[in-house]
């Protein structure tokens, strides 16, 4: 999807904590898309795989919506990791007690754009 800021891809309701995914996102911020994909390929975190899929989708959106774009000129303009809903589960403890277990979700938004000037 094209936006005034660039080409956007969003993935919602991913089972990963936003606090664990954000440090991975900060590594690729403002980098060329090809370099960002290479970095995400070798990172061991679960969030790297989730972000990589969204980044590939944003690059595909940019190339398919605008035929004149060159893939080498695209860079990660903005990446947002927003908090999604939380699933509340019961975690049984000793002596008849129970705690609340929160299963967190996140939404990933990646905006790619073409570098100004060649």
């Amino acid at each position: 999807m094209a936006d005034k800021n660039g080409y956007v891809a969003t993935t919602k309701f991913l089972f990963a904590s936003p606090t664990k995914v954000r440090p991975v996102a900060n590594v690729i911020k403002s980098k060329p898309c090809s370099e960002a994909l290479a970095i995400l390929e070798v990172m061991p975190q679960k969030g790297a795989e989730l972000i990589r899929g969204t980044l590939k989708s944003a690059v595909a959106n940019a190339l398919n919506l605008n035929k004149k774009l060159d893939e080498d000129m695209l860079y990660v303009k903005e990446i947002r990791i927003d908090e999604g809903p939380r699933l509340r589960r019961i975690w049984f403890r000793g002596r008849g007690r129970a705690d609340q277990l929160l299963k967190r979700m996140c939404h990933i938004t990646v905006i790619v754009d073409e570098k100004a000037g060649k």
Side-chain angles (χ1 to χ4, degrees):
M1 177 170 73
D3 191 357
K4 63 180 180 196
N5 298 329
Y7 298 91
V8 182
T10 303
T11 310
K12 295 185 172 188
F13 305 108
L14 297 171
F15 279 100
S17 174
T19 55
K20 292 182 180 180
V21 179
R22 279 188 192 113
V24 177
N26 290 336
V27 171
I28 65 160
K29 200 176 285 185
S30 303
K31 292 214 180 342
C33 288
S34 57
E35 183 181 337
L37 285 170
I39 290 170
L40 292 172
E41 190 75 37
V42 297
M43 290 183 84
Q45 289 90 344
K46 175 184 177 181
E49 186 176 334
L50 301 174
I51 292 172
R52 188 175 38 156
T54 310
L55 179 59
K56 282 183 180 179
S57 178
V59 170
N61 288 343
L63 296 177
N64 289 330
L65 290 176
N66 189 346
K67 302 293 184 188
K68 296 177 221 163
L69 285 181
D70 183 19
E71 188 171 359
D72 297 330
M73 293 301 292
L74 292 176
Y75 76 103
V76 180
K77 184 173 186 178
E78 183 182 340
I79 183 163
R80 266 194 331 266
I81 312 296
D82 298 321
E83 194 167 327
R86 299 174 187 167
L87 295 178
R88 288 175 170 80
R89 298 291 182 253
I90 296 174
W91 189 13
F92 295 103
R93 307 306 302 259
R95 301 181 184 222
R97 292 177 296 171
D99 284 341
Q100 196 174 53
L101 179 64
L102 295 176
K103 294 186 176 263
R104 299 173 192 272
M105 288 187 234
C106 67
H107 306 312
I108 299 175
T109 304
V110 177
I111 301 174
V112 298
D113 203 4
E114 193 173 23
K115 291 179 189 171
K118 290 192 175 185

